Amino acid sequence: MFDTLIEYLGSIAPVNAALIATVFTWLLTAAGAAFVFFFKQMNRPLLDAMLGFTGGVMIAASFWSLLAPAISMSEGEGFVKVLPAAIGFLGGSVFIFVLDKFLPHIHVNFKRAEGIKTPWQKTTLLVLAITMHNIPEGLAVGVLFGGAASAISEATISGAVVLALGIGLQNLPEGIAVAVPLRRMGMSRRKSFFFGQSSALVEPIAGVMGAAAITIFTPVLPYALAFAAGAMIFVVVEEVIPESQQDGNTDLATLGFIGGFTIMMILDVALG
């Protein structure tokens, strides 16, 4: 089945393949958000373990799926070879840093808002926070599909599919992390689900843009891969890991992180 999927996605335009893959990741976010139809509250230790899992998947994907191929495909030796990855990595980190400072948003615990002052409701701010996480995820998938279509050996269709699978898995808890707190605040199940799933709608947009950009400007591929990695790691270190440990469930969050990293590493090495 996996081979059939790879063959099919490799036979269509990279933009279409990226769209299919990122719609899949969005659907898993929607599946997580659908938890509000069954539960009004989420067990906090379990949520923290799932957030840790999310962080582990994102860190593993950043290295195995993005940074390692970016370095491998760069020309030259020594400092010259690693320079594109370093520039892209720093660029992605700075990009999310700037968004974090200026884009109004709030985290799962609702304790404080970040970014510029705004009268927007907490609902909107929470969705914006998760949306900010999803931009580099969609971009990473699209960039890999674009690179594979450009016949770059370090970027493969199977690697892009595995990355989409890993991101989809960690999107499940992200959907829960948006929708369940909104339900707990008194919002209806339908509205909580709507806002929960809408936080990942940016992934297909970013994925299509990433695939299209790489098919036109193939030489920027190592920079683009590292850019997505830098953005993802910034999100994990600045938001996901601290959020998972705020309520004292540090052991569960750490074990979740280890589990997520291990699963993504196995998927990427065995299938990618």
Side-chain angles (χ1 to χ4, degrees), residues 1-12:
M1 182 177 179
F2 184 76
D3 290 339
T4 302
L5 177 62
I6 299 302
E7 183 178 352
Y8 170 71
L9 292 176
S11 66
I12 62 178

Side-chain angles (χ1 to χ4, degrees), residues 57 60-66 69 144 156 158-160 162-163 261-272:
V57 169
S62 295
F63 175 74
W64 297 100
S65 298
L66 302 173
L144 267 183
T156 63
S158 58
V162 169
L163 178 61
F261 187 98
T262 302
I263 290 173
M264 188 63 207
M265 178 178 64
I266 291 173
L267 288 174
D268 209 315
V269 175
L271 300 177

Side-chain angles (χ1 to χ4, degrees), residues 7 12 38 123 136 189 205 208 252 266:
E7 183 178 352
I12 62 178
F38 308 100
T123 302
R189 286 186 172 91
I205 298 172
V208 167
L252 287 174
I266 291 173

